[in-house]
Amino acid sequence: MARPDSEKFLLKDHLFNRKKVQQMADELDRAYSKFQKKAFIEEVLAGFRQRELKARITWMAQCLQKHLPSDYRKAIPIIVKALPAPSDPALSDDDFGDFIYAPYGEFVARYGCKEQYLEISLDAIYEITTRFSAEDCIRYFINSFPEETIKVLKRWSKDSHYHIRRLCSEGLRPRLPWAGKINISIKEALPVLDQLYSDRTRYVTRSVANHINDISRVDPTLAMNTLQRWKKSGKQNEKEMDFIIRHGLRSLIKEGNPRAMEILGYSPNPKVKLSDLKLLKKVKLGSSLEFSFNLKSTSRESLIVDFIIHFRNKAGELKGSKVFKLKSLVLERNETVLIEKKHPMRANMTTRTIYPGKHSLEIQINGKSFGRYPFTILRN
């Protein structure tokens, strides 16, 4: 039975609600005897009603500024004192922290990104990020004080706490999701990444791989050269280095970049034959695109099989496309495999509007096209 609209799950209410605000207020009350806990809670919650998730973070930072001492130098020690115990440094992954502490990073970025506050603000970021990542906050300082901030991040990249080390990569990412742009060259982050790629914590190495993937979208050659240099160094164990390479090259692999394919051990010209392709020619919007085909190899081949949907736009032109992962496999000589797929064509996607009419399906193997096939989407 479907839940009524009043019970619909909303991430903003899950992460920012009365219980969470009460938690923060109790901690601030213990750290600051003049804190007006009840007034803070009611003001914050009243402002939640008309605000989405990120706007709630900003709103809470504004409320903190109102309810803490107006002197930033006096407010920051209260926030640091109110923080709960740091995240467990013995953990290694999946420990992003509690979103309710995101407003602290916003507070530092909004009110403390000034030359006279630089040292105490960076010290506060260090403390905050072991409770909740301050990756967005640090970017304000990278833009305003690049030399000083990058110097600190180089030092932090050797820190004993893996949340601090991860921040050094994440904060410098060229295309960090949900964050503002940083105005430095992608090469300026490489000395930090050179320290972090050999990390023994997956939470850190995943960030490094994501960072390399960001770089690959700006300078593919730099990304691939860097990965090959790291692999040659032998400083990271083989299994983890393979993870970093695969994750770091994922965008180039989707694009079919020949050198990226070869780095991962895939031939850009695989000796395979595609046959017996079956494609549902007419697909109702809201149902699934169904297709299947056989692959036969004439030699032993490692394969990455993707499919691309070329979407019709409102004007009826096939100008938009998206690559989807289908299968990774190894085919022995003369081996044949059947590949089948049902891909939903939802009418209410938030990322794309699907228009009725002619679209096309393309099969891509190791970055090479193995044909493009038309199909039609019908209205319900």
Side-chain angles (χ1 to χ4, degrees):
M1 183 175 178
R3 291 189 297 182
D5 289 344
S6 61
E7 296 180 19
K8 185 170 65 173
F9 175 83
L10 295 173
L11 183 61
K12 63 180 181 180
D13 292 334
H14 175 71
L15 298 175
F16 295 95
N17 52 49
R18 177 175 287 275
K19 182 179 178 182
K20 290 293 186 179
V21 175
Q22 179 79 50
Q23 171 187 321
M24 174 185 276
D26 287 343
E27 291 164 346
L28 286 165
D29 187 51
R30 289 192 288 270
Y32 179 42
S33 60
K34 296 181 180 179
F35 188 67
Q36 300 295 312
K37 181 169 69 171
K38 184 177 178 181
F40 173 79
I41 293 171
E42 295 309 317
E43 184 173 3
V44 167
L45 293 176
F48 276 180
R49 295 189 188 103
Q50 70 272 27
R51 289 177 170 87
E52 297 302 319
L53 194 152
K54 285 203 73 176
R56 290 185 180 189
I57 295 173
T58 301
W59 169 243
M60 287 190 68
Q62 293 170 336
C63 291
L64 285 168
Q65 199 270 341
K66 180 178 178 180
H67 288 269
L68 293 176
S70 57
D71 184 342
Y72 181 80
R73 293 183 182 278
K74 293 180 179 179
I76 277 298
I78 294 169
I79 287 176
V80 172
K81 185 178 179 181
L83 288 169
S87 302
D88 185 353
L91 298 177
S92 61
D93 203 1
D94 297 329
D95 184 29
F96 198 70
D98 194 331
F99 258 87
I100 196 59
Y101 300 116
Y104 287 154
E106 178 72 15
F107 181 90
V108 173
R110 183 172 288 267
Y111 304 110
C113 192
K114 298 177 183 178
E115 187 173 4
Q116 66 267 35
Y117 300 145
L118 183 58
E119 184 176 353
I120 61 171
S121 289
L122 290 175
D123 287 346
I125 291 171
Y126 180 95
E127 295 297 334
I128 292 166
T129 206
T130 61
R131 281 78 170 182
F132 180 81
S133 179
E135 61 206 44
D136 181 45
C137 171
I138 195 70
R139 295 166 80 84
Y140 291 85
F141 292 83
I142 292 169
N143 283 338
S144 297
F145 309 101
E147 184 177 342
E148 298 90 338
T149 307
I150 292 174
K151 182 179 179 180
V152 168
L153 290 174
K154 287 177 182 177
R155 185 175 78 246
W156 287 357
S157 69
K158 301 175 184 179
D159 196 83
S160 61
H161 200 296
Y162 71 98
H163 274 255
I164 302 296
R165 301 196 303 274
R166 176 184 179 272
L167 174 71
C168 299
S169 167
E170 205 73 359
L172 288 165
R173 280 180 59 182
R175 297 190 176 201
L176 181 66
W178 280 36
K181 182 181 178 182
I182 51 173
N183 303 317
I184 61 169
S185 163
I186 55 176
K187 293 182 179 179
E188 292 188 61
L190 287 181
V192 173
L193 298 184
D194 283 343
Q195 174 64 35
L196 296 174
Y197 80 89
S198 57
D199 205 277
R200 294 297 180 256
T201 306
R202 172 58 66 87
Y203 200 49
V204 177
T205 55
R206 181 185 290 110
S207 175
V208 171
N210 285 333
H211 195 138
I212 289 292
N213 187 62
D214 285 357
I215 291 174
S216 77
R217 298 169 71 181
V218 180
D219 189 338
T221 299
L222 178 62
M224 290 185 282
N225 286 348
T226 300
L227 288 170
Q228 289 188 307
R229 174 168 59 85
W230 289 349
K231 184 174 183 178
K232 187 177 180 181
S233 77
K235 291 181 180 179
Q236 181 59 274
N237 72 68
E238 187 175 341
K239 184 177 179 181
E240 193 65 11
M241 193 68 238
D242 182 65
F243 164 78
I244 294 171
I245 292 172
R246 288 180 180 277
H247 205 59
L249 293 180
R250 65 188 186 275
S251 289
L252 294 181
I253 292 297
K254 278 189 172 184
E255 293 171 6
N257 183 284
R259 184 181 169 193
M261 291 289 175
E262 291 184 304
I263 290 173
L264 290 176
Y266 297 98
S267 169
N269 293 293
K271 296 180 175 63
V272 293
K273 293 182 179 180
L274 186 152
S275 62
D276 301 323
L277 184 132
K278 295 180 175 61
L279 171 65
L280 191 63
K281 295 287 189 178
K282 294 183 178 181
V283 182
K284 287 185 177 181
L285 192 58
S287 64
S288 294
L289 173 67
E290 299 181 23
F291 62 93
S292 66
F293 55 89
N294 287 320
L295 277 185
K296 183 177 181 179
S297 179
T298 57
S299 65
R300 192 177 193 274
E301 292 280 5
S302 296
L303 304 174
I304 295 178
V305 185
D306 300 323
F307 67 98
I308 306 170
I309 296 181
H310 297 271
F311 291 96
R312 174 190 179 97
N313 64 16
K314 193 173 184 179
E317 303 164 313
L318 292 180
K319 287 194 172 180
S321 64
K322 182 171 176 59
V323 182
F324 298 91
K325 305 306 295 179
L326 190 50
K327 194 175 184 67
S328 296
L329 71 158
V330 175
L331 278 185
E332 301 296 337
R333 185 173 181 270
N334 294 327
E335 182 181 359
T336 300
V337 64
L338 172 66
I339 294 181
E340 300 174 291
K341 180 65 178 179
K342 288 184 179 181
H343 181 76
M345 305 297 285
R346 300 185 183 93
N348 57 349
M349 290 196 302
T350 56
T351 55
R352 180 186 297 275
T353 299
I354 299 181
Y355 297 98
K358 296 288 185 181
H359 299 249
S360 69
L361 168 75
E362 184 176 5
I363 306 300
Q364 179 175 279
I365 304 173
N366 290 10
K368 181 179 179 180
S369 177
F370 275 70
R372 189 163 163 173
Y373 311 91
F375 65 94
T376 300
I377 292 183
L378 306 173
R379 295 185 187 277
N380 286 330

